[in-house]
Amino acid sequence: MELKKYIPRDISWLSFNYRVLLEAKNPKVPILERLRFIAIYSSNLDEFVRVRVAEIRSLIRIDKKKINKSIAIKPNRVLKAVKSEIDRQLTQYGSILRGDILPSLAKEGIIFKNGDDLTPNEQLFVDDYFRTTISAYLHPYVDGDSGREPFLRNQALYFGIRLKSDNDSKIKFGYVSIPSEKLPRFTRLPTIDEVHPFILLDEIVKRNLHRVFVGYEVIEWKAIKMNRDADLNIEDEYDGDLVEKIRKQIDKRDLGVPARFLYDDTMSTELLSWFMEIFGLDEDDLTPGGSVHNLSDYFQVPNPIGPELEYDKHPPISIDRFDKATSILSEIEQEDTLLHFPYQRYDYVLQFFNEAAIHPEVTSIKVAFYRMAATSLIGEALISAAKNGKEVLVFMEVKARFDEENNLKWANRFKEVGVKVIYSIPGLKVHAKIALITKKENDGTSKNFAFFGTGNLNEKTAKIYADYGLLTSKKPLVTELDSIFQFLHQRTEPKPFKKLLVSQFNIMERFIAMIDNEIALAKEGKEASMVIKLNNLEEKTMVDKLYEASSAGVKIRMIIRGICALRPGVDGLSENISIHRIVDRYLEHARVFIFYNGGNELIYLGSADWMNRNLHSRIEVVFPIINPNLKDEIKHVIQLQLNDNVSAVNLDADLNNVAIANEKAKVRSQIDTYNWLKEKK
């Protein structure tokens, strides 16, 4: 029953990434955007291998008896299924890229040349570029000649090399780096007759291998890449200096055990065997692939033609009352405001912090960061606030995967100007998207202003992630938010939360209670329904509760972008559950919870997916929407998403992405949401 009831997390994630690949295949998507979906797919898969595949392999290495007791599906079976599905997808990936996208780009005049078909002038250009620039970054290795231990950096690009000595014809093996982390992956060559040629950095290196391996004949060169286990290995978060442990582990990230050795599938047996021997690889480590890796770098290809090759531009929408206001804090005091990103200007969040930094009556600012932008205007505002004499408290999560180093850099900057910085809680991650500003009133009392978000306080991701932000001064909400910051700062147990849903305190009980209420209504023969929008659904208590609600007759419509352990539409189990998946120009990121509640709808937004990590090992904040107008806004946008028959698919019981074919008017929810918000401004 276990296997039938729950879909393995990693298999379900691959279903999502395949949906991304389908968008790269979609001929209705502008051609450069299709190339970017190829890049997104590649980037997603790389992270999946670095983290999830590495974790599965780690489980295989530990005691099998322990695995048998704690895991329903054996990790070796999961790994086999994962590798099979990745291989299937990569076959289509290559076909879409080489058989469709690149020829379509060529029709538009954008071509990618290899080192053998350059004109004489282009040859002079690239060879000069190699000698003057590229060669400064190369690290060639020849077995027995290089005087150092062989090592492949995590995710870096290389050519594996087979050589024949000019002196004695002896065969040797080696490799050379392709310095894509230092130099642009694509070099633009001079345009001729409206043809815009580019050449890969790999091709320039390949063309000049004779200059790298002097004294040898290069008889084979094949693209390779090593993915290593990228998780930080913090054995004990409770003992010693956690931040210092994280700093040390960041330095070791590139030294992780191999998770995948990706190689050109035309590589000779001799060269592959050499790599397996020197790096201690086995068959499970090997992933055959194409002749070019790290295709996420296709993000770097510029548009030399014009806007017709990309999505129409959507300038962020202004909010008139904020633009006309002298003080954004005064406007928030008058009325709650729901911000829709990236459709509306993120500038209002920046103004929220900027005004607080210089307002003479603002006394304190408290913020929790999970992933900061590398160049953060919010961070600069907090530094200014501290210099202006405000009390600034920052909770900095330094365990945010792949953002640890950037967050630590910002924490150091904050501390230099007197900001009170609190670091990660042992055993927990703080994933909440929250901020609180306190202003002294004329009568000596204090007034609080809050930001609650579904996405990070990050100006960069706010341009491409579809999220909500609530600006409010309503006392029940800001009072409970203040107690969360008190908990983060001093670890004082907060009073029971009545309005907010906070993981570690009440989130599971409240979600279950609201679902139980719908179940009770359904059993009484009354209307009962829910709309749940998540990035990921995995936690089995919640999955089982949804199954229970469906069996009781509750109508459940879900919008789930990524991982989904639940099988929708199964008779006797989930026939009342339907699941939508939307992949379009923006990344759907908001979490939305709507419970019919006998007609008095309860609507919540927040940062929490229904995953083990979110509900059990993080601090998450889910906040209610109380204002009737804002409730209507959310319901309108969600209805557009449920009606989407252009960029959405339905998921079947095996999580296949099933196209929506109906005769209804075309609804593309992201475009229609933008247009609706633009009209109502």
Side-chain angles (χ1 to χ4, degrees), residues 457-644:
L457 285 160
N458 184 313
E459 304 94 301
K460 182 178 179 181
T461 56
K463 295 177 181 178
I464 54 175
Y465 286 21
D467 272 307
Y468 294 109
L470 177 68
L471 294 171
T472 181
S473 64
K474 294 296 184 289
K475 192 167 183 178
L477 298 182
V478 298
T479 299
E480 291 190 0
L481 180 57
D482 190 39
S483 69
I484 293 174
F485 278 109
Q486 289 295 325
F487 169 77
L488 296 178
H489 184 193
Q490 300 173 348
R491 304 294 189 270
T492 54
E493 188 75 13
K495 294 180 180 179
F497 295 104
K498 296 182 179 179
K499 295 294 183 182
L500 299 179
L501 281 56
V502 185
S503 56
Q504 307 307 311
F505 297 102
N506 69 343
I507 197 167
M508 289 280 288
E509 308 92 274
R510 292 284 295 280
F511 275 136
I512 289 171
M514 287 185 280
I515 296 173
D516 280 339
N517 181 55
E518 298 299 326
I519 292 172
L521 291 169
K523 289 181 176 179
E524 292 173 8
K526 298 177 181 177
E527 183 175 350
S529 66
M530 297 180 283
V531 178
I532 308 294
K533 181 179 180 182
L534 300 164
N535 292 340
N536 301 298
L537 170 63
E538 178 211 21
E539 207 277 344
K540 288 186 177 180
T541 302
M542 302 310 297
V543 172
D544 287 344
K545 183 57 67 173
L546 291 171
Y547 282 145
E548 180 186 345
S550 171
S551 299
V554 180
K555 300 296 181 183
I556 305 170
R557 292 170 295 172
M558 307 192 77
I559 304 168
I560 299 179
R561 189 190 79 224
I563 296 165
C564 181
L566 182 148
R567 295 183 183 275
V570 177
D571 289 344
L573 183 68
S574 57
E575 65 265 36
N576 287 310
I577 302 176
S578 63
I579 300 181
H580 240 36
R581 171 179 282 156
I582 299 169
V583 173
D584 203 345
R585 63 189 293 167
Y586 306 124
L587 181 79
E588 291 294 337
H589 193 250
R591 292 81 163 181
V592 181
F593 311 91
I594 303 175
F595 300 90
Y596 185 66
N597 191 37
N600 183 23
E601 287 168 313
L602 302 173
I603 299 181
Y604 290 83
L605 309 176
S607 59
D609 283 316
W610 285 359
M611 297 187 72
N612 286 311
R613 66 188 186 194
N614 301 90
L615 299 177
H616 299 295
S617 58
R618 289 184 174 182
I619 297 291
E620 303 275 10
V621 175
V622 173
F623 50 97
I625 299 299
I626 301 167
N627 184 301
N629 293 330
L630 300 189
K631 282 187 171 184
D632 288 342
E633 282 187 27
I634 293 166
K635 288 194 295 181
H636 183 85
V637 173
I638 289 295
Q639 193 59 53
L640 288 174
Q641 293 174 357
L642 292 170
N643 292 343
D644 194 323

Side-chain angles (χ1 to χ4, degrees), residues 71-113:
I71 299 176
I73 306 174
K74 305 303 180 286
N76 57 340
R77 289 178 58 191
V78 174
L79 183 62
K80 183 177 180 180
V82 162
K83 286 174 68 68
S84 175
E85 178 60 16
I86 289 175
D87 289 346
R88 184 188 75 84
Q89 291 185 16
L90 286 177
T91 299
Q92 292 193 45
Y93 176 95
S95 176
I96 292 167
L97 177 62
R98 292 187 293 270
D100 186 356
I101 292 178
L102 294 182
S104 297
L105 285 167
K107 290 179 182 178
E108 299 291 344
I110 299 174
I111 62 172
F112 298 91
K113 288 196 165 188

Side-chain angles (χ1 to χ4, degrees), residues 270-516:
E270 295 90 342
L271 183 55
L272 181 59
S273 297
W274 179 75
F275 278 114
M276 293 179 70
E277 180 181 351
I278 64 167
F279 293 119
L281 306 173
D282 58 36
E283 291 291 337
D284 285 339
D285 296 316
L286 305 180
T287 301
S291 59
V292 180
H293 302 149
N294 274 18
L295 294 184
S296 57
D297 289 339
Y298 274 121
F299 273 121
Q300 298 177 21
V301 176
N303 182 353
I305 307 292
E308 63 272 18
L309 301 189
E310 300 177 279
Y311 288 133
D312 294 339
K313 299 300 180 187
H314 280 174
I317 301 164
S318 297
I319 298 174
D320 289 342
R321 69 184 186 90
F322 279 170
D323 291 343
K324 296 173 182 177
T326 304
S327 165
I328 195 168
L329 296 181
S330 296
E331 287 299 310
I332 297 168
E333 191 169 2
Q334 295 299 316
E335 184 180 6
D336 287 358
T337 298
L338 186 68
L339 300 174
H340 302 250
F341 308 123
Y343 309 106
Q344 293 175 322
R345 293 173 62 196
Y346 199 75
D347 300 27
Y348 303 120
V349 177
L350 304 181
Q351 290 176 27
F352 179 71
F353 288 101
N354 291 342
E355 182 177 330
I358 61 174
H359 197 297
E361 304 304 325
V362 167
T363 57
S364 72
I365 306 173
K366 301 171 185 175
V367 191
F369 285 113
Y370 189 71
R371 298 187 191 276
M372 288 193 72
T375 55
S376 171
L377 290 173
I378 296 173
E380 298 295 346
L382 296 177
I383 289 171
S384 294
K387 290 180 177 180
N388 293 336
K390 318 293 185 189
E391 178 189 348
V392 182
L393 175 72
V394 167
F395 183 93
M396 184 65 75
E397 181 53 76
V398 292
K399 294 183 291 184
R401 184 182 288 139
F402 304 129
D403 280 273
E404 304 97 341
E405 188 170 8
N406 180 61
N407 286 1
L408 282 170
K409 286 178 180 177
W410 272 107
N412 290 337
R413 285 196 64 194
F414 289 146
K415 291 174 74 173
E416 288 171 359
V417 298
V419 172
K420 174 66 177 177
V421 177
I422 309 160
Y423 292 109
S424 300
I425 301 172
L428 291 174
K429 284 185 181 180
V430 176
H431 192 244
K433 326 305 186 176
I434 49 177
L436 187 69
I437 291 169
T438 301
K439 183 168 73 77
K440 188 177 181 180
E441 301 285 84
N442 292 332
D443 60 3
T445 60
S446 293
K447 182 76 175 180
N448 287 326
F449 302 83
F451 173 87
F452 294 94
T454 66
N456 294 308
L457 285 160
N458 184 313
E459 304 94 301
K460 182 178 179 181
T461 56
K463 295 177 181 178
I464 54 175
Y465 286 21
D467 272 307
Y468 294 109
L470 177 68
L471 294 171
T472 181
S473 64
K474 294 296 184 289
K475 192 167 183 178
L477 298 182
V478 298
T479 299
E480 291 190 0
L481 180 57
D482 190 39
S483 69
I484 293 174
F485 278 109
Q486 289 295 325
F487 169 77
L488 296 178
H489 184 193
Q490 300 173 348
R491 304 294 189 270
T492 54
E493 188 75 13
K495 294 180 180 179
F497 295 104
K498 296 182 179 179
K499 295 294 183 182
L500 299 179
L501 281 56
V502 185
S503 56
Q504 307 307 311
F505 297 102
N506 69 343
I507 197 167
M508 289 280 288
E509 308 92 274
R510 292 284 295 280
F511 275 136
I512 289 171
M514 287 185 280
I515 296 173
D516 280 339

Side-chain angles (χ1 to χ4, degrees), residues 642-665:
L642 292 170
N643 292 343
D644 194 323
N645 55 8
V646 175
S647 296
V649 297
N650 286 324
L651 299 185
D652 67 13
D654 293 317
L655 294 198
N656 294 307
N657 297 279
V658 180
I660 298 172
N662 59 40
E663 301 301 320
K664 296 179 181 178

